[in-house]
Amino acid sequence: MKEINKINTIYKASVSDSKEVESQVGGPLRSHSEIKRMGEVDSFSSEEMDRLKIIGSGVQNSKVLNIFRELRTQLIQKSKKSNFVCMVSSICHGGGASYVASNLAAAFALDKTKTSMLIDTNLYAPSLEKLIIGDTMAGITDYLSDSSISIKDVVYATGIPRLRVIPIGGNSEGAAEYFSSEKMLNFVEEVKSRYSDRYIFIDAPPITISSEARILADIIDMVVLVIPHGRVTHEQVVAAIEIVGQEKLSGLVYNN
Amino acid sequence: MDFSQLLKYAYVVYRELWQRKFLCLFGFAVISFTILVIGMYWPLKFETSATIFADNQNILKPLLSKQAAQSDVQNQAKVVRDMIHSPRILRMAIEKGYGIDSFESAESLGLEISRLRSEILVERLGDNYIKIDYSDSTSKDAYRVINSVIDVFIRTSADEQRSESRDAFLFIDNQVKQYKDQLLLAEERLKEFRSSNFDGRDIDVNASISKLRAQIEELKISLEEDRTTIISLKKQLAEESKFSSKKFKADVYSERLVGLEERKSTLLLNYTEGYPDVVSLTYQIEDIKRAMLEGAGGATEGDDGVVDEVRLNPLYQELRSRLSFIQTQIKAKDNRLIAFDALQNQEYERRKRIAERGAEESELTRDYTVTKRIYEDMLERKEKARLSMTLNIEGQGVTYRIQEPALPPLNPVGLQFVHFVVLGPILGFGGILGLAFVFVMLDQRIRFSERLDDLNVTTLAIIPHINTPFTKRIVRSDMLTCLLLGCLIMAVYIVLAYASKMELF
């Protein structure tokens, strides 16, 4: 959290009002130039990206960059070229789902014709706020529980171009119920259908442990399971695959 | 497992170790220091050995050849080991080495004896050389104990051998006396039996029986002959009496006729037929001729005359005398037969008696023979024992001499403190490494992406372990800390080892 605050203070001066930025983002179809004109806050430097373990065109480790690009290609192929909602979940806490989700989103955002959105639903270990430059007011749980908050209020720009983040927010009690509500379904539908070039990634808690992830699995298009190195047994992986079901599971990612 | 797989394993093991680096360092320290402490208290071992020579090749051997029993060379080592390991010898050695009252309780003495027994090794070197090894915690003790053990052993073995062979001789001597008595008894019995038994032997009876039987057979055949002769003689006598009377008369007439005709023909030479003498002769001849014809025609004419004539017949006389002779002989032979039969029956009786007593006799004879054989054997042994005893008393039997005396050992053998000092960190490192390897092998958690292949789900990507400059900095500082800690541990270790070596505490 210290790091995030530090980043936030560094960039505070140069950041324009995030809500203002978001208000400019609108319309079902956007041309390349429109996307280019998306209101952006200042980008992270490559050192910042390295520290946050986020890939970018300037990062040192091009091997990882290529791996995520390859992963992006595979997912696009599986979705038959339309945009999709993808849940990234792991099998245990700290399994690297957030890392994979944010990098996947960053990889999609690298493509200048695409935008991506990260939704943090990991109530146990929310981690996406560090990507947001500036203060966060509300998150997805606030939106689901409070009808006075609109989608615009919870979408934040990040230090990565074309990548938006919806943090977890402050109202995490009864989140499982919110996620299974009609509103959540509508919300997902809306963010997906709003822009056809937008790819949505949900950073979910471990699927074998939390009920939230299982609920979310019903409303999304595909699931990527992250298998952490040396943390889970073969049986646990089999159990997780069974929970997700073969038709929604697009594949496994082994995280060293 | 090929090399690339081994490398992969090594990398995984390294990662596991790095993840638990401080625990590993702690484990390393614990193992090293434990081994160091073990090394501090590890007893030193000083080994010394002596060679003894079992001398049984003495000058008398070729002279005696097999007469005196000598111990088997092959078993010398075993004999020596058994003797040295016996509690008696060990106790004597302890008393000699440490002093009589060195062990207060019987229990501690027993423990010391069993310790010595496990430390003293006896092995055969050559034909007659036996090596005795001993190890103890100090050089002084090792030297002292082995000397006292060998000394006690040699002294005792000589004493024992002497008394042993004397005992053996006395025992055999006693046995010989017993057997002699038995032999005399058996002899006496046999003599008694023979003197009370006159029937002679089986073989004699059989010979006389067969002889008698042959004689009886012969007698019977001659009797049969005689009887046949009598029958034929009698028949001849009966026929001859009738036939011989006629023939005799005819013969007389024909003789007179021949005589008369001879005289007539002589007279006719000088006279004519009318000569009276010649006429008378002619009449006489005619008369005789008539008589002869009558005799041939009427047989039974005047029996008396016939009988007289028969009696006068010499053939008849001869036959009669032979008949009576043979009849007397038959009588005599019959009597002889009866006598032979009686004799034969007697012999049969005798044979029965001999058979009855034969079993008894053979038992007595057997008894005698066996006792005699054993006695002779014993006598021989007694002589051997006497020789052995004399040999041992003269010191010519198996004797043990110290060939190579024990030396006080200068350096300890086996594991020493310095080995432990070196082994400590090596085993600590190896142990931790081995544990980590075993952990990776046994732990069920997935550490290789290949294990996902059999899940029937595509593996989209394998993300390598990445170190950002930030984490690299952390890793670097961690490594420095580990290195420092490791150096600290080693420094403490070396100081401790050095202090222990110098016996500072």
Side-chain angles (χ1 to χ4, degrees), chain A:
Chain A
M1 285 310 282
K2 262 184 192 170
E3 281 171 39
I4 294 164
N5 288 338
K6 198 172 145 196
I7 298 162
N8 286 343
T9 45
I10 288 167
Y11 289 94
K12 206 160 196 173
S14 58
V15 170
S16 58
D17 189 8
S18 58
K19 289 191 185 98
E20 208 178 283
V21 171
E22 195 54 43
S23 65
Q24 289 173 3
V25 182
L29 278 161
R30 292 175 291 183
S31 66
H32 188 135
S33 58
E34 275 177 313
I35 293 171
K36 221 174 182 177
R37 275 187 271 113
M38 264 172 75
E40 294 290 357
V41 293
D42 284 355
S43 299
F44 287 137
S45 68
S46 58
E47 288 81 32
E48 291 290 338
M49 298 278 270
D50 276 339
R51 178 188 266 185
L52 290 167
K53 288 191 178 178
I54 298 294
I55 55 162
S57 49
V59 294
Q60 290 176 347
N61 202 334
S62 61
K63 196 176 158 195
V64 181
L65 176 64
N66 287 333
I67 286 167
F68 277 103
R69 274 177 172 153
E70 175 64 25
L71 187 55
R72 179 184 68 186
T73 314
Q74 286 191 40
L75 289 180
I76 290 169
Q77 275 170 2
K78 276 186 193 282
S79 72
K80 301 188 176 69
K81 290 177 183 174
S82 68
N83 69 332
F84 54 80
V85 181
C86 175
M87 183 175 93
V88 181
S89 176
S90 184
I91 295 173
C92 59
H93 291 296
S98 302
Y99 167 75
V100 173
S102 46
N103 274 300
L104 253 180
F108 273 84
L110 275 176
D111 187 340
K112 292 195 169 99
T113 62
K114 291 182 177 72
T115 60
S116 58
M117 176 179 273
L118 260 174
I119 304 172
D120 196 352
T121 63
N122 195 344
L123 306 158
Y124 307 97
S127 61
L128 296 183
E129 277 186 22
K130 64 186 176 188
L131 298 177
I132 299 164
I133 296 173
D135 292 328
T136 54
M137 303 296 285
I140 179 128
T141 49
D142 301 309
Y143 167 76
L144 290 174
S145 60
D146 189 351
S147 55
S148 66
I149 298 173
S150 68
I151 295 180
K152 284 179 196 167
D153 299 329
V154 293
V155 178
Y156 295 89
T158 64
I160 301 146
R162 296 176 291 282
L163 174 62
R164 298 286 177 266
V165 165
I166 300 178
I168 188 77
N171 193 357
S172 57
E173 267 179 48
E177 285 71 35
Y178 297 140
F179 289 152
S180 60
S181 66
E182 192 75 17
K183 199 172 178 186
M184 179 70 185
L185 192 67
N186 291 336
F187 165 74
V188 171
E189 275 305 311
E190 197 183 334
V191 284
K192 184 189 169 189
S193 57
R194 187 164 214 168
Y195 304 112
S196 62
D197 54 40
R198 181 190 266 169
Y199 294 83
I200 297 116
F201 298 93
I202 298 175
D203 175 17
I207 193 153
T208 46
I209 297 164
S210 68
S211 54
E212 290 86 353
R214 294 181 204 197
I215 292 160
L216 286 169
D218 290 335
I219 56 173
I220 46 80
D221 298 323
M222 57 170 75
V223 176
V224 168
L225 262 183
V226 180
I227 315 292
H229 169 88
R231 301 275 298 273
V232 293
T233 63
H234 201 262
E235 288 73 32
Q236 280 174 300
V237 176
V238 172
I241 290 169
E242 269 175 23
I243 290 166
V244 175
Q246 288 283 356
E247 69 274 9
K248 283 213 173 170
L249 182 67
S250 54
L252 306 174
V253 169
Y254 187 74
N255 181 22
N256 267 301

Side-chain angles (χ1 to χ4, degrees), chain B residues 24-77:
Chain B
C24 290
L25 267 177
F26 179 70
F28 168 74
V30 166
I31 295 175
S32 311
F33 279 99
T34 308
I35 289 169
L36 184 70
V37 170
I38 291 173
M40 284 177 193
Y41 293 100
W42 191 263
L44 285 177
K45 206 174 172 189
F46 288 89
E47 205 173 83
T48 181
S49 71
T51 308
I52 56 173
F53 179 67
D55 180 17
N56 60 350
Q57 297 284 338
N58 51 52
I59 197 161
L60 286 171
K61 194 182 181 180
L63 296 175
L64 293 169
S65 67
K66 285 177 180 173
Q67 286 304 310
Q70 287 181 331
S71 313
D72 190 3
V73 188
Q74 295 300 315
N75 290 326
Q76 284 295 344

Side-chain angles (χ1 to χ4, degrees), chain B residues 220-390:
Chain B
K220 274 180 180 167
I221 288 165
S222 103
L223 265 173
E224 205 60 39
E225 258 174 31
D226 287 354
R227 286 201 178 103
T228 323
T229 319
I230 283 174
I231 289 164
S232 74
L233 275 176
K234 275 182 179 168
K235 210 188 264 174
Q236 272 181 2
L237 276 173
E239 278 177 14
E240 195 78 24
S241 58
K242 273 189 281 176
F243 168 74
S244 64
S245 62
K246 274 182 196 167
K247 199 190 172 191
F248 184 67
K249 234 194 282 185
D251 281 351
V252 171
Y253 285 141
S254 65
E255 224 169 279
R256 276 169 76 179
L257 188 63
V258 169
L260 287 173
E261 280 181 346
E262 239 174 84
R263 268 177 73 189
K264 189 183 168 187
S265 53
T266 315
L267 283 173
L268 281 173
L269 288 172
N270 297 325
Y271 309 105
T272 57
E273 291 237 357
Y275 189 72
D277 283 359
V278 176
V279 174
S280 149
L281 274 172
T282 308
Y283 284 125
Q284 277 180 5
I285 288 168
E286 278 170 6
D287 278 353
I288 286 172
K289 276 183 181 171
R290 202 168 49 240
M292 273 175 81
L293 283 169
E294 280 169 7
T300 54
E301 190 187 321
D303 270 344
D304 290 349
V306 172
V307 169
D308 286 341
E309 276 170 339
V310 168
R311 274 187 194 137
L312 291 170
N313 196 335
L315 180 67
Y316 176 77
Q317 286 286 352
E318 175 67 27
L319 285 174
R320 288 276 294 186
S321 78
R322 265 191 76 187
L323 182 64
S324 81
F325 173 72
I326 288 170
Q327 271 170 342
T328 343
Q329 241 184 2
I330 284 175
K331 206 160 255 175
K333 276 177 184 172
D334 272 341
N335 282 336
R336 253 170 76 191
L337 192 62
I338 289 162
F340 274 141
D341 270 340
L343 267 177
Q344 201 184 19
N345 283 339
Q346 245 177 41
E347 289 299 313
Y348 279 137
E349 283 298 314
R350 190 176 143 209
R351 194 165 70 174
K352 213 187 274 173
R353 279 202 306 279
I354 286 171
E356 272 165 8
R357 304 195 68 168
E360 199 184 333
E361 189 187 7
S362 68
E363 197 185 316
L364 282 175
T365 316
R366 195 166 51 232
D367 225 27
Y368 174 74
T369 321
V370 169
T371 316
K372 192 180 166 198
R373 201 178 60 228
I374 294 175
Y375 172 70
E376 277 165 1
D377 191 38
M378 279 286 175
L379 213 57
E380 199 180 327
R381 279 179 199 215
K382 183 184 154 188
E383 287 316 305
K384 274 191 197 175
R386 193 203 299 280
L387 272 174
S388 301
M389 181 179 71
T390 319

Side-chain angles (χ1 to χ4, degrees), chain B residues 120-286:
Chain B
I120 295 173
L121 299 175
V122 179
E123 58 177 323
R124 191 168 150 239
L125 281 186
D127 273 350
N128 292 345
Y129 292 96
I130 293 155
K131 192 178 169 207
I132 297 169
D133 288 308
Y134 175 68
S135 51
D136 208 328
S137 53
T138 66
S139 169
K140 211 173 110 188
D141 278 347
Y143 182 62
R144 193 170 54 179
V145 170
I146 196 167
N147 275 338
S148 61
V149 164
I150 288 175
D151 191 45
V152 167
F153 164 70
I154 287 176
R155 206 149 36 79
T156 319
S157 76
D159 288 352
E160 261 180 15
Q161 227 162 21
R162 255 170 238 150
S163 71
E164 209 174 275
S165 55
R166 193 170 54 239
D167 287 349
F169 172 74
L170 289 176
F171 173 75
I172 291 178
D173 191 36
N174 196 20
Q175 292 286 308
V176 165
K177 274 177 193 153
Q178 275 182 24
Y179 272 101
K180 194 177 180 183
D181 290 347
Q182 272 188 35
L183 185 66
L184 285 176
L185 196 68
E187 228 169 16
E188 192 59 39
R189 274 199 205 130
L190 200 62
K191 208 164 36 180
E192 210 172 289
F193 175 80
R194 281 190 179 147
S195 64
S196 68
N197 182 15
F198 305 106
D199 283 335
R201 287 179 307 154
D202 208 19
I203 196 163
D204 298 340
V205 181
N206 282 341
S208 84
I209 284 174
S210 68
K211 201 170 148 195
L212 276 174
R213 199 178 282 156
Q215 280 176 338
I216 287 168
E217 290 298 314
E218 213 177 308
L219 207 57
K220 274 180 180 167
I221 288 165
S222 103
L223 265 173
E224 205 60 39
E225 258 174 31
D226 287 354
R227 286 201 178 103
T228 323
T229 319
I230 283 174
I231 289 164
S232 74
L233 275 176
K234 275 182 179 168
K235 210 188 264 174
Q236 272 181 2
L237 276 173
E239 278 177 14
E240 195 78 24
S241 58
K242 273 189 281 176
F243 168 74
S244 64
S245 62
K246 274 182 196 167
K247 199 190 172 191
F248 184 67
K249 234 194 282 185
D251 281 351
V252 171
Y253 285 141
S254 65
E255 224 169 279
R256 276 169 76 179
L257 188 63
V258 169
L260 287 173
E261 280 181 346
E262 239 174 84
R263 268 177 73 189
K264 189 183 168 187
S265 53
T266 315
L267 283 173
L268 281 173
L269 288 172
N270 297 325
Y271 309 105
T272 57
E273 291 237 357
Y275 189 72
D277 283 359
V278 176
V279 174
S280 149
L281 274 172
T282 308
Y283 284 125
Q284 277 180 5
I285 288 168
E286 278 170 6

